[in-house]
Amino acid sequence: MGELRERIKARTEENKDKLLDYLKLESVSAQKREIDETAAYVKNLLEAFGAEVEILSLADKPLAHPVVYGFIPAKEVNKPTLLIYNHYDVQPEDPVEEWQTRPFEPVEKDGAIFCRGVSDNKANLIARLNAIQLYLEDHDGLPINIKFLIEGEEEIGSVHIDDYLAQYQDKFAANACIWESGSKDGQGRLHMSAGMKGIAYFDLANQTADIDVHSSQAAIVDNAAWRLIQALASMKDAKNRVTIDGFYDLMEEPNQEARAYLDQVPFDPDALKEGLNLRTDFITDDLDYSEKEALYFYPTLTISGLDAGYQGDGAKTILPKSARAKLDVRLVPGYTPENVQKLLRDHLDSHGYADFDLDLIAAVKPFRTDLTDPFIDLMVQTGETIYGKGKVIITPNSPGTGPMQSFGHYLGVPIVGIGSEYRGSGAHAPNEHIRWEDFYDNIAHILGIIENFDQVNWAN
Amino acid sequence: MGELRERIKARTEENKDKLLDYLKLESVSAQKREIDETAAYVKNLLEAFGAEVEILSLADKPLAHPVVYGFIPAKEVNKPTLLIYNHYDVQPEDPVEEWQTRPFEPVEKDGAIFCRGVSDNKANLIARLNAIQLYLEDHDGLPINIKFLIEGEEEIGSVHIDDYLAQYQDKFAANACIWESGSKDGQGRLHMSAGMKGIAYFDLANQTADIDVHSSQAAIVDNAAWRLIQALASMKDAKNRVTIDGFYDLMEEPNQEARAYLDQVPFDPDALKEGLNLRTDFITDDLDYSEKEALYFYPTLTISGLDAGYQGDGAKTILPKSARAKLDVRLVPGYTPENVQKLLRDHLDSHGYADFDLDLIAAVKPFRTDLTDPFIDLMVQTGETIYGKGKVIITPNSPGTGPMQSFGHYLGVPIVGIGSEYRGSGAHAPNEHIRWEDFYDNIAHILGIIENFDQVNWAN
């Protein structure tokens, strides 16, 4: 292991310029900065590591950011295929004033490397390429086929991933997929997600008058803000249970494998509370399931924004003509954006709010890999070799949302995420960084996967 | 009457330049435009009509807009005193693009005169001065003392009126007060308010975290927007009754005079609904009192604004760290801003919202003139001579708010409002105007009050 570690470090040094040049590209998808340049860079990068590469586009959607497809075939025929998913786009660097270095100038210090996008998720692609090169140092070819899908819209909701997967379904066919990321916790345990919650995000709005009404009329005139409050209040009880008829009936009961894996997921409420700077207790006091179950297995219905009437300083005496809320619903298996939209619509209609507009403005289906799939064992076993026994954690699904379901749907693959991040990496935040030791661990993990992937009894 | 009408018209023509010059002054108090110039103009104006005038200020509040005090003594001693209240400030002229003429260039057309501030409330002062002059054409002095209080902050909430009345209480001593305005309805009936609702306006806010939390944590983490919704929903039931303990107990039952006058107040729900461009029905279906009683006799608790989290286009997936509402509470006799604040605070504290901030940011006490005061009869009888029997309406209090209570408190006077406006005058709106015929009626009404004021058996 010591010798391998030295080889990983040497390989990292040798390829470091490739990482640095990749990091310097300001590929902020929300602002369409250097998108084509970065896609071209990734093409060259994959080619430099021996892949056949194509930059894919969508004929009827010219504004879609390109997807980079790469393929390195196995030395022998009839070998299984591993699909590697990453994204070359990054979050905006705001707030710049909170960075201690320039956001797009990579800086190494204290055993870490700082740059926007290094943890989310540029370094992970370089780690995967380094692992392939390490394997090829000792062998004259790969034991498996490796494909790459590197997209440029992950940070804006992977808005065209379904189009790409539908159009290029055959090209991306694989036996399993390594997701973009995975993170170490405070105890050095690697958390690997085998699924993600989905989301249905709504604009909810109502209008009670053409113009704001003077609030002296409040005794008799209705008010869009009050109606919004009453409509929202009707959707949740004091125990924070959703009170929409049938809401919980949609939920697929987590199977025993999911429950068994969740049992092993560490959960420290106090650390989480502190990490989130909360001023309030968790809202799960009155639930008949645990906080951890709530977080991973249950759907949520929450409000991300309220907007009505006057919001400035002082007093403006109006009955707001209109009021809007942003509704964020997280989905677990059993839910789709569409069936949730129907439940909400029915609830509004039957509670006196038929006039409310309910627009679905973001929709991602939930996904949970079949946890009996042998790929799960492969990921755990190869991980334990690197991180230690009991130090790799499979979460049946992350509480967060991502486009895993699209891959599951179009490619039928099991999916697990691994990566070089840790809890303090600051994805989406100033001073984003990864620690080199985590990067080395990650490379070793991927190397183990490449070495053992062909041993798996692939059903699919 | 025909001869008087001709004299009123002639007087109006003769003094028209004084009105036009007054209108041209852009005395927008919210923007501190031409405030001192307009106060000086009013001083000269009152002097031109024979008053002794002082421009008053507050020694310890140099930013307070000046109040113009005027006094025309009765020819004889021991005569009662009528206080005339007006304001020289006006609303901002926005939206300018909706004006058909320039906002501060008076234009006469179709028997009306258009200008910002003409109805609210510059013409009314000129009408009152014209009436005085008409009386003096036939007499060698006034039968009563007349005082003027012309303020410059009415459109910004009369923020220093209490200071002025407290400091100059003796100067403004009077037997009765004519309020700034009164308006004709669609049937040509003059509505005169003998009172006004008060207001307690609050900022209500809560904070659940130092920074917004990712909404993937919604299953366990509380959310300032939800808490605000739940807190507000706890204050009102589905029938729009306020559910704060003791809220309605504060209300002084309207006496038989108030009920008798309210019976005569016309109320046309359909016309009101149409005039307000409402898309919803009135909220009074389930009340055990009428819409009219609700509007005039009942307190209200409403929301003028909601502000939490994300309000832009598209989706931002957060649990808002903080949420705020603007709470507008209209007060009738029995309520004060302070006793309402205590009820709200107690409600929040006892319902799990002790951490909410509740700041009182605007406060005006309610006022209702003693409706048995002989001044009421004087206003009705003199009004009926001009407008016709049954054509003058006393509202025990207006649903709106103004600083009447300050005058009642410091001066102990009965107060009734009359004026030259009509329902379509567009106070605070583009194309503000009054009709000349209404202006003439108003002058005649004031002349009648001057002639008959000394006949009243003044108790105070």
Side-chain angles (χ1 to χ4, degrees), chain B residues 95-120:
Chain B
V96 176
E97 64 279 9
E98 293 182 20
W99 284 78
Q100 288 166 11
T101 58
R102 293 191 188 164
F104 286 101
E105 272 184 23
V107 170
E108 291 184 68
K109 60 174 178 180
D110 304 330
I113 174 167
F114 292 75
C115 194
R116 165 55 78 231
V118 67
S119 86
D120 185 13

Side-chain angles (χ1 to χ4, degrees), chain B residues 229-251:
Chain B
I229 283 163
Q230 288 165 334
L232 291 169
S234 75
M235 295 180 187
K236 243 185 174 180
D237 65 18
K239 297 180 175 183
N240 287 292
R241 291 273 302 180
V242 176
T243 49
I244 293 169
D245 270 357
F247 186 77
Y248 292 106
D249 300 341
L250 291 175
M251 188 176 149

Side-chain angles (χ1 to χ4, degrees), chain A residues 183-191 266 393 421-423 435:
Chain A
S183 183
K184 269 189 198 169
D185 67 18
Q187 278 72 51
R189 294 170 297 214
L190 180 71
H191 290 241
I393 312 288
E421 313 90 77
Y422 77 109
R423 202 176 59 160
R435 303 178 299 203

